[in-house]
Amino acid sequence: MRLTTPLVLLGIGCAADTVPQDHRAPCTERSWFADRDGDGFGNNADTTSACTLPDGYAIGAGDCDDEDDLVHPDASEFCDGRDDNCNGEVDEDAVDASPTYADEDGDGFGDGTRITLSCEVPSGHVIDDGDCDDTSADAFPGAPELCDEQDNDCDGVVPDDEQDLDGDGYIACEDDCEPTDPESHPGADEWCDAVDNDCNGTADDAPLDGFWLYPDVDGDDYGDTDSASLGCAETPGWILVDGDCDDLDPAVNPEGDEGVADGADQDCDGLEICWEDADEDGVGTPTAYLTPSLDCTALGVSSRSDDCNDADPLVFPGNPEIPYDGRDNDCAPETPDDDLDGDGYGHAVDCDDTDPNVHPQDGGPLFIEVGISAGLDAPQWDETVNPFECFPWLGMAAGAAIADVDNDGFLDVFIPRLQLPDRLYLNLGDGTFTDQAVARGISHTGTSASARWFDADADGDLDLFVVSAGQEDSRLYIQDVDGTFTEEAVSRSADTPRLNPLECSNIYGTAAADHDGDGDLDLHTNAWFLHNAPGIQRSFLLQNDGLGFFTDQTFASGLDLYSSAAFASAFIDYDDDGDLDVSVAADWGTSRLYESHGDGTFTDVSLQAQISAGNAMGSTWADYDRDGDLDWFTTAIYDPGMPCNPVVCDGNRLFANNGDGTFSDLTDAAGVRRGGWGWGAAFFDADNDGDLDLGQVDGPHAVAMSPVPPLLFVNDGHGVFTDQACEAGLGPTKEDRSLLPFDFDNDGDLDLLIITSSERPRLYENLHDGANAWIRVALFDPTTPGNQRAIGAKITVQAELGGELQRADVHANEGYGAQRPAEAHFGFGPHAGPLHWIEIRWPDGEVVDLFDVAARQVLTVDRSAL
């Protein structure tokens, strides 16, 4: 019997010719990797199992691109934007990488010792080396040598600045200010080449090839001969023409009109016009012209010619009136102190000095004029400065804006003026004001017509928007943290440019509110035009982006006012639906009422609302009849015999809100149609008796009409008014335009500020005895940065349980060119004790109720503290 031992084969394949078929060892299979590109490395995801290496497969795995035989784990990495060696990184340590150099100072040349090989230039590296100081951007190969004691051009010579580089005999950086320019050195001639040739620190000063320039400070196109300077070109304020003998007065120059009696040599010929001064009071008479003289200050002659009685030394313009002396001391026939009707009240305070039964009330006036003692003594307009620019329309402009600008608890007054510097009167708290316009940076001499305090940039302080009635555009003054202002209208797109730069702006009023409900304050301006020249200027709706930059949304909003000769607009919620509507008081029968859709767009609803006003100019909204909704009063001209094309002069209008979107004309029922040539108006409680009275100012414009007093329509408590201006002490004035009630002395009653078109402001202090209760409510909402003063809020007060409700809205609207403080004032008559209930409806609709609030206080409600 033969024994057979099994054959074990290690690492050897089965051999059919050695081992019988039925005794052969089994084959061991393994995995092979598909190698499509034949680079010896296969794709991990494509395998097969076999005892031996099949064709098209490889032992090695890890090929990340089996379509490219240059990509596999043993490949070299190149700068080709791919992972050549399949290690998961692209172009790392590429064999063809280029050297780059760290460029710390960013001058385009790197440090040759700080090399990085890279396929692309990394951030902070460059391809050029050779920087000898990579911490200084002034040092690199080829850089110009500077006077800094270093090797700027990296040529190894330090310092080059001790050499005479340009060969002009001056050592660079010691004497020579231009080391590489042989024409520039100390003592060289100065030329018009924008180079400091003589090294005195100023280029082009007194150049040999220049010409004489003269300063033109007053902008009359004639320069001051005595202040000439050589220059290369005209620059702002420096011109080629001289001959001005008074460069601070634009009316004085070689083309001036010597016929003006102003004490100046108007035409710069060395002579003045003089007039005979017979009574030697310093003022001559126009009937006694003398020949030109070198001096008009001698006794018996004068440079003035406006003496109305040159035989009486106590009569001349500006002389104080002497009461009851039988003469017009100040040459102003409308304001003598003589008592013509013998009732004991002179013409200056008696509103009808021909009727002894009409005079201020016997118990003393409700108001007394304190403007001069309070410091409001500057006239509104000097018509002699430039009487023909936009004349006579400039005479319609006269406004003011009131707010607590410096947050000291007292209300301040900004007065825009015509061809005189604007005034910012800060309230000192002692009954006086001080002008801080120049110190605060908002002084401007031009044709300012109206102004608006509001927080444009949502930083918590008040900014100032000023519009013009002349040949200039609007201005926007942004307040800084130190209380000064910077004008930025153009950069913030708030300049309301004129359609024709040669035309007058004719913007007489503005209003501000959050019309689109986005939490910031937008602007509306009102542009007027003659009835036969529509489109010469237009009104604007400027939408705020929340940071104080504006976009014109006039037409997109639906407020197309090309056809409306607008004077005064207001943002009000007349239908109490929670969004702000717009009213526009306008001339020529073009007044409008626009209903808001709540999304920043409007629809004209004047016809549906039954609004129709003639020549409307002033505007005021309030709940005068205490039925809970807002009513509208507009001023106009009342003279049935005077043609006011295209609309008759049929007087004021009082539209009572019916609460259903319509209004009723109750003008005659309320007794407020007759208002002369009406301008500004305001509802306010003059005597704190709990009902709203109505103040109105009037004054003729460009026609021969006598001066008239303001009107004070006193409410009888049932919505019927009687004019008691004379009894209240509001005497006759001239060309009144704006009327603003405000509590300037913080004593709880409302005083009156009246702005005229030419004379000084009139400030009437309210002398109410204080028997009636009152409250002033100011709102503060830090949760809405763009509207912290809560413009658009509604305040309702009930003095006692079951009593009548009084409503007042917080707004930044106008009466005519005027802005009252953004607060609410209420009077309550002889009410004693606290007030039962105050409701505050914030602009976003949230309602807050306050109970048992003390009266006779200025109440500031901080929303964040509720």
Side-chain angles (χ1 to χ4, degrees):
M1 176 177 195
R2 188 171 63 186
L3 298 177
T4 303
T5 303
L7 175 64
V8 178
L9 300 177
L10 298 177
I12 302 174
C14 299
D17 59 341
T18 306
V19 180
Q21 180 68 30
D22 54 336
H23 295 288
R24 192 170 46 192
C27 174
T28 302
E29 294 185 353
R30 58 162 296 177
S31 294
W32 309 96
F33 303 92
D35 179 15
R36 292 185 179 84
D37 54 12
D39 58 7
F41 290 88
N43 187 337
N44 292 25
D46 188 357
T47 64
T48 187
S49 296
C51 294
T52 61
L53 177 64
D55 289 339
Y57 285 81
I59 299 174
D63 197 336
C64 53
D65 185 353
D66 203 31
E67 301 295 332
D68 188 341
D69 60 355
L70 297 179
V71 177
H72 53 78
D74 279 348
S76 297
E77 192 74 28
F78 289 91
C79 292
D80 54 8
R82 62 186 181 184
D83 182 14
D84 296 292
N85 58 6
C86 295
N87 68 344
E89 298 183 15
V90 176
D91 293 351
E92 90 288 358
D93 299 327
V95 296
D96 58 344
S98 300
T100 64
Y101 307 92
D103 181 17
E104 181 178 338
D105 54 16
D107 58 9
F109 290 87
D111 183 350
T113 65
R114 299 167 63 190
I115 304 173
T116 298
L117 293 175
S118 177
C119 294
E120 296 182 355
V121 180
S123 176
H125 286 65
V126 295
I127 61 174
D128 293 325
D129 64 343
D131 199 335
C132 53
D133 185 353
D134 202 36
T135 64
S136 172
D138 293 327
F140 54 86
E145 277 295 340
L146 303 176
C147 299
D148 55 6
E149 298 184 355
Q150 68 173 325
D151 179 15
N152 300 99
D153 58 5
C154 294
D155 63 354
V157 181
V158 182
D160 290 348
D161 49 25
E162 291 183 357
Q163 306 171 22
D164 180 9
L165 301 179
D166 53 16
D168 59 6
Y170 292 87
I171 300 301
C173 306
E174 291 184 4
D175 304 307
D176 202 340
C177 57
E178 292 288 344
T180 60
D181 185 356
E183 301 298 326
S184 179
H185 54 77
D189 293 327
E190 193 72 27
W191 302 94
C192 289
D193 56 4
V195 175
D196 180 16
N197 304 103
D198 56 7
C199 293
N200 70 345
T202 304
D204 295 350
D205 58 317
L208 292 183
D209 58 345
F211 41 85
W212 290 107
L213 295 172
Y214 308 91
D216 181 20
V217 176
D218 54 15
D220 60 4
D221 297 328
Y222 286 91
D224 181 359
T225 306
D226 297 331
S227 302
S229 176
L230 280 172
C232 296
E234 285 191 338
T235 57
W238 290 82
I239 60 176
L240 292 169
V241 181
D242 66 337
D244 201 334
C245 54
D246 184 353
D247 202 34
L248 298 179
D249 188 342
V252 177
N253 55 58
E255 293 186 0
D257 182 6
E258 193 62 70
V260 178
D262 61 355
D265 178 15
Q266 297 292 134
D267 57 4
C268 294
D269 63 354
L271 301 175
E272 299 179 30
I273 294 293
C274 299
W275 310 88
E276 181 181 357
D277 180 17
D279 55 12
E280 298 182 353
D281 58 7
V283 184
T285 174
T287 61
Y289 169 74
L290 297 178
T291 58
S293 169
L294 294 176
D295 183 15
C296 294
T297 62
L299 193 64
V301 296
S302 173
S303 62
R304 296 179 55 183
S305 62
D306 49 348
D307 196 338
C308 58
N309 186 351
D310 203 36
D312 188 339
L314 295 179
V315 176
F316 55 87
N319 191 40
E321 278 291 342
I322 301 174
Y324 321 125
D325 66 349
R327 55 189 164 195
D328 177 16
N329 303 97
D330 62 0
C331 289
E334 69 275 12
T335 58
D337 281 344
D338 302 300
D339 181 13
L340 303 180
D341 57 12
D343 60 5
Y345 294 90
H347 191 71
V349 296
D350 197 338
C351 49
D352 187 350
D353 206 28
T354 64
D355 186 344
N357 297 314
V358 179
H359 51 72
Q361 57 190 13
D362 294 333
L366 180 62
F367 294 96
I368 184 171
E369 208 280 308
V370 296
I372 292 180
S373 62
L376 304 181
D377 56 356
Q380 186 70 13
W381 185 21
D382 182 359
E383 299 181 47
T384 65
V385 174
N386 188 356
F388 298 108
E389 180 187 345
C390 301
F391 186 84
W393 317 125
L394 280 186
M396 299 194 298
I402 297 177
D404 183 4
V405 180
D406 51 5
N407 293 318
D408 64 351
F410 291 91
L411 294 170
D412 311 301
V413 180
F414 175 78
I415 298 182
R417 300 199 299 165
L418 298 174
Q419 299 168 342
L420 292 169
D422 295 338
R423 294 294 180 95
L424 173 58
Y425 291 106
L426 296 186
N427 194 330
L428 298 179
D430 59 0
T432 66
F433 295 82
T434 180
D435 178 27
Q436 292 290 302
V438 174
R440 298 295 180 111
I442 59 175
S443 179
H444 173 78
T445 300
T447 52
S448 304
S450 177
R452 183 75 41 213
W453 291 110
F454 77 115
D455 187 0
D457 53 0
D459 63 352
D461 53 34
L462 289 173
D463 309 302
L464 181 65
F465 181 60
V466 184
V467 297
S468 167
Q471 291 178 334
E472 58 184 6
D473 297 328
S474 301
R475 302 183 303 284
L476 176 60
Y477 295 95
I478 300 297
Q479 185 172 180
D480 203 350
V481 292
D482 61 356
T484 61
F485 294 80
T486 302
E487 203 287 304
E488 301 180 11
V490 173
S491 64
R492 293 176 179 269
S493 299
D495 52 330
T496 63
R498 286 160 290 151
L499 299 179
N500 183 346
L502 300 179
E503 297 290 351
C504 301
S505 180
N506 286 347
I507 297 180
Y508 295 98
T510 67
D514 181 11
H515 91 278
D516 50 2
D518 63 356
D520 51 48
L521 296 179
D522 313 298
L523 283 171
H524 187 262
T525 66
N526 300 277
W528 174 87
F529 50 75
L530 285 169
H531 68 87
N532 58 356
I536 201 169
Q537 181 57 293
R538 69 177 180 90
S539 302
F540 284 86
L541 177 65
L542 302 180
Q543 185 166 300
N544 196 333
D545 70 348
L547 298 175
F549 294 87
F550 294 86
T551 303
D552 182 1
Q553 291 293 306
T554 311
F555 302 109
S557 68
L559 294 179
D560 181 0
L561 295 178
Y562 262 119
S563 61
S564 189
F567 275 125
S569 61
F571 289 100
I572 41 83
D573 188 6
Y574 83 91
D575 51 6
D576 283 327
D577 63 353
D579 48 40
L580 292 175
D581 312 298
V582 173
S583 68
V584 179
D587 223 340
W588 323 123
T590 61
S591 295
R592 297 287 184 268
L593 180 63
Y594 293 89
E595 181 181 356
S596 172
H597 300 301
D599 59 357
T601 63
F602 301 85
T603 297
D604 183 354
V605 295
S606 309
L607 184 63
Q608 303 93 303
Q610 302 174 25
I611 295 295
S612 176
N615 297 309
M617 290 174 283
S619 171
T620 181
W621 285 84
D623 181 16
Y624 88 94
D625 51 9
R626 291 178 291 192
D627 63 354
D629 48 33
L630 296 177
D631 312 297
W632 189 18
F633 175 78
T634 62
T635 63
I637 303 172
Y638 182 78
D639 188 343
M642 179 179 178
C644 287
N645 294 329
V647 183
V648 297
C649 296
D650 56 356
N652 303 329
R653 288 291 188 275
L654 176 59
F655 298 107
N657 196 329
N658 296 324
D660 59 359
T662 66
F663 292 79
S664 296
D665 186 344
L666 298 186
T667 307
D668 293 322
V672 293
R673 180 181 294 273
R674 298 170 178 261
W677 194 307
W679 297 98
F683 281 113
F684 72 110
D685 191 347
D687 47 10
N688 284 338
D689 65 351
D691 52 41
L692 290 178
D693 309 301
L694 178 61
Q696 180 197 328
V697 292
D698 55 352
H701 174 65
V703 296
M705 293 176 66
S706 300
V708 289
L711 293 99
L712 180 61
F713 292 112
V714 177
N715 194 333
D716 68 353
H718 303 286
V720 178
F721 297 86
T722 304
D723 178 28
Q724 297 181 19
C726 182
E727 294 85 345
L730 301 179
T733 53
K734 180 182 179 181
E735 293 286 343
D736 293 340
R737 294 292 179 265
S738 300
L739 176 143
L740 301 93
F742 76 117
D743 186 5
F744 90 92
D745 49 8
N746 283 5
D747 64 353
D749 49 40
L750 291 176
D751 313 296
L752 286 178
L753 177 65
I754 295 177
I755 308 295
T756 76
S757 66
S758 58
E759 299 178 333
R760 67 170 178 83
R762 299 298 197 274
L763 178 61
Y764 288 93
E765 181 182 358
N766 195 326
L767 301 179
H768 191 265
D769 58 14
N772 290 339
W774 57 275
I775 193 170
R776 279 171 54 193
V777 181
L779 303 181
F780 177 64
D781 181 10
T783 66
T784 307
N787 188 13
Q788 294 191 30
R789 288 158 182 82
I791 304 301
K794 305 171 185 177
I795 302 175
T796 303
V797 179
Q798 187 179 47
E800 55 189 34
L801 182 63
E804 282 193 308
L805 301 179
Q806 295 188 55
R807 167 184 174 175
D809 290 21
V810 179
H811 59 72
N813 298 322
E814 61 177 335
Y816 178 88
Q819 178 187 10
R820 296 169 62 173
E823 59 183 30
H825 175 276
F826 301 90
F828 304 104
H831 174 79
L835 305 175
H836 169 62
W837 171 59
I838 298 179
E839 177 191 87
I840 299 170
R841 187 175 296 273
W842 298 92
D844 62 6
E846 182 182 358
V847 177
V848 172
D849 296 308
L850 307 176
F851 295 91
D852 295 327
V853 179
R856 303 177 186 275
Q857 66 162 320
V858 179
L859 175 66
T860 298
V861 181
D862 185 340
R863 186 177 187 180
S864 65
L866 298 176

